[in-house]
Amino acid sequence: MTKIKYINTDVFKYVPIEDAFNECTRITNLKTGVTESLSPADKQFYVRMRHRYYRFAIELGGTYYDDIDQLGASIGVSSATATRIVAKLKKIGLIASNKPKRSNQWTITPLTPENFTFERDRNAMERDSTPEWVDCLKHPVFGKVKEDVTPEVQLEVQREEAKADPMCELEEAPEEEAPGPEKVKPTKKPAARKAPAKQQTVSPFEFKTPRDERFDGLAFERLNDASDRFLVFQDYDLPYLMLFESQGKLTNPAAIEHLKMKRNLFETTGRL
């Protein structure tokens, strides 16, 4: 098992003891004999305290103080629930404190096979079944049963299993049964694609949608106002300029010049 000098607040290194703790629903203190069930909130609370303990006490070399209510809020439980969790973790021996206050100095017991046994009910997902408690280190949810052997032997076994992986071997046909020639299926000729229909483009001098005649008066008053020195013509004004010019109503010199310039530009380049 890989040893860890410290555990930071970002990520844990992958070790079997972490998986065993996450998978277990029952924990036993091997030194005191106390056995308690663990809920997901209990484990999350302990992991949060251990993160902070290793940060302040191990990495920074100081002491670890924390408030129970703030720890509960950090995992989304109430103060009353946090108090019950702390009492359970103390009973198991996962945590310890010097003073029985809401905010005090804490010490965290490391998760090691010498200190604790992590167990889960193998039949927990089955109805009306007798609990069968198994060691999470020897019977993980993912992977095969681990035997009580040294890490070096386990590593050697894993290497041998990787070499003899049946999924990587190609099956060979028996010698007495020669495979027959494969039948070649006639390939179908792909159907000729139809040329896409040409989209009819709308001239920028025409209305793209049916014109709402209720706005003709407002547009005419704005575009034909020669006294407005700050009037700026937009491309969406071109249909109205063409309309008013065809009706002989366009008298604003700036509007007439703008329409003429845009018409010449479009006829020359095909764009505005």
Side-chain angles (χ1 to χ4, degrees), residues 13-264:
K13 291 185 179 179
Y14 175 79
V15 287
I17 196 71
E18 301 295 337
D19 287 342
F21 179 70
N22 289 327
E23 295 170 5
C24 80
T25 54
R26 187 171 77 174
I27 186 172
T28 300
N29 189 318
L30 296 177
K31 296 181 179 180
T32 62
V34 175
T35 300
E36 286 286 336
S37 61
L38 284 180
S39 67
D42 298 334
K43 291 183 280 189
Q44 189 177 3
F45 198 98
Y46 168 80
V47 169
R48 178 55 56 88
M49 293 187 71
R50 190 178 64 170
H51 270 293
R52 294 172 62 76
Y53 172 77
Y54 272 81
R55 171 61 177 168
F56 296 112
I58 305 301
E59 293 183 12
L60 301 180
T63 54
Y64 169 48
Y65 289 88
D66 231 332
D67 183 80
I68 296 177
D69 296 336
Q70 288 182 327
L71 287 168
S74 70
I75 67 167
V77 299
S78 64
S79 298
T81 302
T83 302
R84 290 194 296 270
I85 293 175
V86 167
K88 180 186 288 188
L89 297 180
K90 282 185 176 181
K91 182 179 178 181
I92 299 170
L94 287 168
I95 64 174
S97 61
N98 297 333
K99 300 177 182 179
K101 295 182 179 180
R102 303 297 291 177
S103 180
N104 51 47
Q105 181 180 347
W106 301 93
T107 56
I108 309 299
T109 306
L111 297 175
T112 63
E114 293 77 23
N115 292 331
F116 302 100
T117 299
F118 312 98
E119 297 175 299
R120 63 183 178 87
D121 180 10
R122 178 180 283 176
N123 302 328
M125 303 303 293
E126 300 178 6
R127 293 183 179 180
D128 303 328
S129 61
T130 304
E132 182 183 355
W133 295 99
V134 296
D135 190 332
C136 294
L137 279 172
K138 296 181 179 180
H139 300 269
V141 174
F142 298 99
K144 298 181 181 180
V145 176
K146 296 183 179 180
E147 302 294 338
D148 294 328
V149 295
T150 62
E152 291 78 8
V153 176
Q154 289 184 359
L155 184 60
E156 232 12 82
V157 172
Q158 291 175 358
R159 288 176 178 174
E160 291 297 327
E161 289 179 352
K163 291 179 181 179
D165 188 354
M167 297 300 294
C168 298
E169 297 179 0
L170 297 176
E171 296 182 357
E172 297 181 358
E175 294 181 0
E176 61 274 8
E177 295 182 3
E182 296 183 359
K183 295 182 179 180
V184 180
K185 295 182 180 180
T187 57
K188 295 182 179 180
K189 293 183 179 180
R193 294 184 179 180
K194 295 182 179 179
K198 293 183 179 179
Q199 297 182 353
Q200 185 176 0
T201 58
V202 179
S203 170
F205 302 96
E206 299 177 0
F207 290 97
K208 295 182 174 59
T209 57
R211 179 174 105 256
D212 192 340
E213 297 181 0
R214 294 176 298 175
F215 299 104
D216 288 0
L218 296 175
F220 179 77
E221 183 178 353
R222 178 175 65 88
L223 298 175
N224 216 32
D225 186 4
S227 63
D228 188 356
R229 295 181 300 167
F230 302 100
L231 177 61
V232 177
F233 300 100
Q234 305 294 339
D235 289 345
Y236 54 77
D237 292 327
L238 295 177
Y240 271 114
L241 293 175
M242 286 288 293
L243 174 66
F244 300 145
E245 183 191 50
S246 64
Q247 294 174 349
K249 299 179 181 179
L250 192 63
T251 59
N252 184 358
I256 296 173
E257 184 63 26
H258 178 77
L259 178 60
K260 180 180 179 181
M261 181 268 295
K262 284 291 184 178
R263 187 187 291 119
N264 293 337

